[in-house]
Amino acid sequence: MKYALIIPDGCADEPLESLNGRTPLQAANLPAMDKIASLGRVGVTDNTPIDFPAGSEIANLCLLGYDPNVCFTGRAPLEAAAQGIELGPYDCAVRCNLVTIRDQTMIDFTADHISTEEATTLLADLSKELFGENGPLADSDLAERLEFVPGVSYRNLMLYRGDADHPSPFTSSTRSSAPHDLTDLSVVDDFPRGPGSQILVDLMNASAEILAKYPINAARKAAGKDEATHVWLWSSGGAPKLSTFEERYGIRGVMITAVDLLRGIGALAGWPRIEVEGATGYLDTNYAGKGQAAIQALADYDFVCVHIEAPDEASHEGNADEKIKALQQIDEHIVAPLWEALSQHGEHRMLILPDHPTFCRTKKHTHGPVPLVMAGTGIEADSATTFDEVAANASGWAFDPGWTMMDSFVKKAD
């Protein structure tokens, strides 16, 4: 059996006045997804347990069949795994966004999609000053234990390296807010709290004065771009423990994504990853390249996972039109050719679903069910003819908690 999983991140939404009361999934022209809906079964699954944040870290773990109550320690450790960073028993990873804050308002959680090259340079310079002899941590040994690790664009990490005598000051009780949930909102009440939080707050505040004087920011301002005004530190945690996908299901998988979070989850699940040239994790990603990479991967792997960040990015920008365009690109360049290729491999199944809803109206992730469509060998078709929230909610087929859904996809349908 060959399996294909397609994750259009954050594509679930609510009816929008600008779309005449339709959701982006309903408004988009999605002939391939609708065809698969007519051939298979449509339903809903809830990947965002109410006791956890409605974040991609929780939702994608649930989607892939992992119970976050058992394996989740934080978002940053998952992204550390993407870079091959091993965390010891006393270590901790912290997510580090470069953001734009003005007048205590989160203007842009991506610092206007700062380039990786710019981010790497800023973090290297910032490290020297924040962790140096005149930095806010100069009177402690913390500076020697902290380091920034550049990632992709605004998505970076800060690591704490501890030992038995110096365990991480950050614990499971350390609370922080995801910057993408604060767009256009005041950040005054959303700085970290709990164990070790003052360290994070001091670093975040000190970064503002330091970043303001850097030539890169001056050049960005002159070019009409938002500056990287602060580091935003959030979602800390220690080493996660996941059983591999092959241990659980006896099949070999592979991950195709441009986002470190999914790279990390894939790595911990025991999957290698395929890097696609031009895959950006944004609206300008190489959709066709991802589709072709997935088709080629079917020859070597039993389970091919393709994650596309673009719909979520459009939602965070509050741009329904771009969300629709992204969905149509996914339908044409990934879903359609991959479904056709699957049929050439004998027994096969395809599953399409987002991780969580992201509303264009609020520009935020939200808790709640998302639509799914499952089709292929051994899956009996229902009466649905479209893939969207309305058809899914009307089906009566639901998975809650969401981490139980993967068993129905990989194993024979009841």
Side-chain angles (χ1 to χ4, degrees):
M1 179 85 77
K2 293 287 185 179
Y3 300 91
L5 168 61
I6 300 173
I7 308 172
D9 199 297
C11 78
D13 213 315
E14 61 184 348
L16 296 172
E17 184 177 348
S18 63
L19 300 178
N20 298 317
R22 298 173 295 170
T23 70
L25 275 172
Q26 290 179 301
N29 179 28
L30 306 173
M33 293 190 205
D34 290 345
K35 175 183 177 181
I36 292 167
S38 68
L39 294 172
R41 193 172 181 185
V42 171
V44 297
T45 185
D46 193 338
N47 300 318
T48 51
I50 198 65
D51 293 337
F52 289 92
S56 294
E57 62 275 29
I58 297 296
N60 281 287
L61 284 170
C62 285
L63 186 158
L64 291 171
Y66 292 98
D67 180 351
N69 293 290
V70 175
C71 64
F72 181 70
T73 62
R75 178 176 181 132
L78 299 175
E79 297 187 353
Q83 299 196 45
I85 297 171
E86 293 188 11
L87 297 176
Y90 304 103
D91 296 343
C92 183
V94 185
R95 173 66 183 265
C96 172
N97 274 48
L98 286 167
V99 302
T100 304
I101 296 173
R102 285 198 291 270
D103 299 325
Q104 295 297 304
T105 297
M106 183 67 69
I107 302 300
D108 193 333
F109 68 90
T110 75
D112 209 353
H113 288 278
I114 191 167
S115 72
T116 300
E117 182 180 3
E118 290 173 313
T120 299
T121 300
L122 284 179
L123 288 176
D125 292 342
L126 193 60
S127 179
K128 295 174 185 176
E129 298 201 46
L130 280 180
F131 305 146
E133 59 183 16
N134 295 318
L137 305 177
D139 294 334
S140 74
D141 68 348
L142 282 170
E144 298 177 359
R145 298 182 177 277
L146 293 170
E147 63 174 307
F148 288 123
V149 179
V152 178
S153 181
Y154 63 91
R155 309 177 185 99
N156 306 282
L157 295 172
M158 184 178 76
L159 301 182
Y160 174 88
R161 295 297 191 182
D163 55 40
D165 295 324
H166 304 87
S168 171
F170 318 115
T171 74
S172 59
S173 297
T174 305
R175 294 289 177 258
S176 57
S177 297
H180 50 257
D181 287 337
L182 299 175
T183 302
D184 298 332
L185 300 176
S186 171
V187 301
V188 171
D189 294 326
D190 286 285
F191 281 79
R193 295 177 178 175
S197 61
Q198 194 58 51
I199 298 168
L200 302 178
V201 172
D202 288 346
L203 291 173
M204 291 160 71
N205 287 334
S207 72
E209 182 177 350
I210 297 169
L211 288 170
K213 64 185 181 182
Y214 284 161
I216 284 177
N217 271 328
R220 290 180 65 80
K221 185 175 182 179
K225 299 178 181 179
D226 283 332
E227 302 161 74
T229 63
H230 295 71
V231 294
W232 188 268
L233 302 170
W234 60 289
S235 196
S236 59
K241 294 181 180 179
L242 274 68
S243 57
T244 69
F245 207 78
E246 188 168 2
E247 288 171 342
R248 293 163 59 219
Y249 295 112
I251 55 178
R252 297 175 62 248
V254 66
M255 175 66 77
I256 301 172
T257 183
V259 175
D260 269 352
L261 173 63
L262 273 294
R263 288 173 175 145
I265 293 175
L268 292 168
W271 292 347
R273 67 179 187 243
I274 297 173
E275 299 291 347
V276 176
E277 184 177 358
T280 62
Y282 190 56
L283 298 167
D284 60 353
T285 198
N286 183 1
Y287 298 95
K290 284 191 168 186
Q292 289 305 305
I295 290 170
Q296 293 171 14
L298 288 172
D300 299 316
Y301 299 96
D302 307 307
F303 192 108
V304 178
C305 179
V306 188
H307 169 265
I308 312 97
E309 181 73 4
D312 192 60
E313 292 290 331
S315 301
H316 285 307
E317 294 177 5
N319 195 327
D321 289 340
E322 287 297 331
K323 188 168 187 175
I324 290 170
K325 289 179 184 177
L327 286 167
Q328 292 176 168
Q329 292 287 317
I330 293 167
D331 190 77
E332 178 182 357
H333 296 296
I334 299 175
V335 176
L338 186 52
W339 176 254
E340 182 179 352
L342 268 176
S343 65
Q344 307 301 314
H345 286 272
E347 293 189 340
H348 61 277
R349 288 184 178 183
M350 177 176 281
L351 172 62
I352 307 170
L353 77 163
D355 45 358
H356 51 68
T358 308
F359 290 174
C360 288
R361 175 180 58 86
T362 62
K363 303 181 183 179
K364 292 182 182 181
H365 299 173
T366 187
H367 291 88
V370 296
L372 68 87
V373 59
M374 195 182 294
T377 305
I379 298 173
E380 187 175 346
D382 59 16
S383 60
T385 57
T386 59
F387 174 59
D388 56 58
E389 298 86 349
V390 173
N393 284 318
S395 72
W397 192 37
F399 297 94
D400 187 7
W403 60 81
T404 63
M405 181 272 301
M406 187 54 63
D407 284 350
S408 290
F409 178 54
V410 175
K411 297 175 181 178
K412 291 292 184 181
D414 294 334

